[in-house]
Amino acid sequence: AAMVKETIRVYARVKPLGRRQQAGSYSVDNEEPLPSLEITVPRDLADGFINNKRESYKFKFQKIFDQEAKQDVIFDSIAKPVAECVLAGYNGTIFAYGQTGSGKTFTITGGAERYSDRGIIPRTLSYIFDQLQKDSSKVYTTHVSYLEIYNECGYDLLDPRHEASRMEDLPKVTIMEDSDQNIHLKNLSLQQATNEEEALNLLFLGDTNRMIAETPMNQASSRSHCIFTIHISSKEPGSATIRRSKLHLVDLAGSERVAKTGIGGHLLTEAKYINLSLHYLEQVIIALAEKNRSHIPYRNSMMTSVLRDSLGGNCMTTMISTLAMDKRNIDESISTCRFAQRVALIKNEAVLNEEIDPRLMIVQLKKEIQDLKDELALVTGKQRTSELSQEELLQLDELIETFLKDNDPDSSLDVGADMRKIKYCFVHLKQIINRPMTLGKKLLSQDISEEKYSNEELEKLKGLLQQRDNEISLWTNNDDCCLKKISLIYLTDILVTMLKKEKKKAQDALSQLNASSASSTVLELSPSMSLEESQSPSRCSSLKEAKDFSSSLPRLPLLSRATGGKMSLGCQEAFEVFKRDHADSITIEDNKQLLKQRFDEAKCLGEKLNEVRNKINHLKGKIIQRQIQRAALAVSNPSEELTFDPVEENLRMQIEEEKKSYKTVYSHFKGLKVEIEHLQLLMEKVKIKLQKDFEVWWSEKAKKLQ
Ligand code: ADP
Ligand code: MG
């Protein structure tokens, strides 16, 4: 099998400096062939923090992405090459390593606010499904899984049956090793995703579960590892070989030392565990980097077991070191870079993951055996050089005669697997057919005349068929028809969504006017929230999955505004105040504006699509008219033959042009749809987060009051 041997690619990404942060001193040199990052530590700091007299540290990377690097660039340079390998049948892994707050989640999943902030996972999904759609030579199947590892325990983030509100409610995933020492994850669900939209919905479900499972006590986001995996299998039609590949996208736990973050007391056990798990990762990496080490301690922790193939095994692996370069974090950044230098020494050997489907193989082999048997029989017959004997020839003549005389339709002429005999029979039969007034003629005349008749008939039918074909292709050009259907569905979806939203908005405003006129804050804020609220029901009309998910998401009863009465007036008011103070209203407003703009654009495009379609139909009508006219002319003037019609040709060309523009507008339209759905998911996320934050805040307030 094909194999690619390569060291792990290691990149660095520097997070933009916060507003109140003091910049640390560093410089980036991206000169080929050895890009490097130099960090300078003031002498006093170096003495105090690192206990080392060195001032300047230089680290080599595949490439360094400085503060201003945007998500699309990160995807194109880091993730796309890995995704390409995975599409070709190799395993791939991308993991982000760095201290808490340095941008791991931002890089792997993305920011929850802007569409342009979406990270490696959604972009990779989009890229992969695009590529799969383009390749019609193979049949592809895609699944995703999402695993969170916290305190050496695995949790399935994608199980839709569970209404998780705590991490312990999620299904527990355990490791099993088979006799070939392959790792299997028991209880981790593989969810099929047939397109980008389904995959994004699964990601959304997982991220929401991840968010909900986090509490101030477990601080899961900094102490757990999350592994989003895309599983792809592909097969060429008719082939027994299946290619399977996996792409792990890993958001590791924060790499900071426990002592420095100052976590104390009973939290230490947990913190120590996280440290332990990253410590085991380091041990594995050190072992791998050493020459002639035979034992690699993969089994020490769940994470190293799961990633065993990705570290020094069958995988194309890439690491992104995320760095916060402000003064206070510079020593952690140096630790991260040191770790990265060791990782860069590890060699992986990625092999093409091909396996054979035994059932398909049997079918294929059976066919091959039959073919070979036939061929062998023919070949051995041919290889005999001697002529057929007089006696054999007479025997054959007799066989042929009985065969011809036999009226049984099941009778056959069996001369055995001898090419010479078969040939002789053919020649003999040919002679009989061509010889007039013989036995052959008498026997076969009927058949021959029938065949002649059917030949004429056949020609006629062929002509008719051609005509029908032309008509059919004229009226229902296959892909055009399909496009028409799909775009109609989308258009209706979008319009229905818009209408529902308008109606809901009006209703909300009215009901709020009636019900809660007591609280002026509610009134003031309601327009800004009503859009999000109307989102879920309307989106559900277009996304079945989303509906399933949102019903499986735990809803906080005290916040269920739909039922109104459940939340006490005080709590409700508090929520409104909290919302005003905590919600990033600028971003929400931004996104809402953007969403509206996109809807308008989609509507516009939809209208354009309709227009083009009407144009095409009009042109088709013209062609038909033209054909009828010409047919009528041909009837009244039979001497003139139907010839090439330049007018018709011109109409056809116009149709082709319109079709082209239809396809362009349509693909734009489809892109918009993906963006709109993503924006809706983002807003849903912000909303859930806000509710969750409020719940925490409220319960803390309540506790204090007690
Ligand atoms: P981590 O997952 O490593 O703990 P996060 O990804 O959560 O860190 O990042 C911490 C904060 O910094 C988040 O608010 C995130 O949006 C922001 N952030 C991180 N990297 C970037 C970046 N490259 N550009 C803009 N904001 C970023
Ligand atoms: Mg994170």
Side-chain angles (χ1 to χ4, degrees), residues 221-275:
S221 69
S222 64
R223 296 178 187 180
S224 67
H225 315 285
C226 286
I227 306 178
F228 186 87
T229 310
I230 308 169
H231 309 249
I232 302 178
S233 68
S234 65
K235 193 177 85 68
E236 272 169 37
S239 154
T241 314
I242 301 177
R243 282 189 185 175
R244 285 184 212 280
S245 50
K246 275 186 282 189
L247 174 55
H248 293 307
L249 301 167
V250 188
D251 187 351
L252 288 175
S255 62
E256 62 274 3
R257 313 291 129 168
V258 183
K260 273 185 195 149
T261 53
I263 299 160
H266 61 286
L267 286 183
L268 209 67
T269 23
E270 288 183 5
K272 210 173 72 196
Y273 257 116
I274 286 308
N275 241 3

Side-chain angles (χ1 to χ4, degrees), residues 99-101 103-106 210 220-222 224 251-252 254:
Q99 71 183 115
T100 299
K104 295 182 297 297
T105 306
F106 186 84
R210 189 175 159 183
S221 69
S222 64
S224 67
D251 187 351
L252 288 175

Side-chain angles (χ1 to χ4, degrees), residues 436-447:
M437 304 306 285
T438 58
L439 172 82
K441 168 107 181 168
K442 236 197 294 170
L443 275 169
L444 295 174
S445 60
Q446 201 191 343
D447 294 340

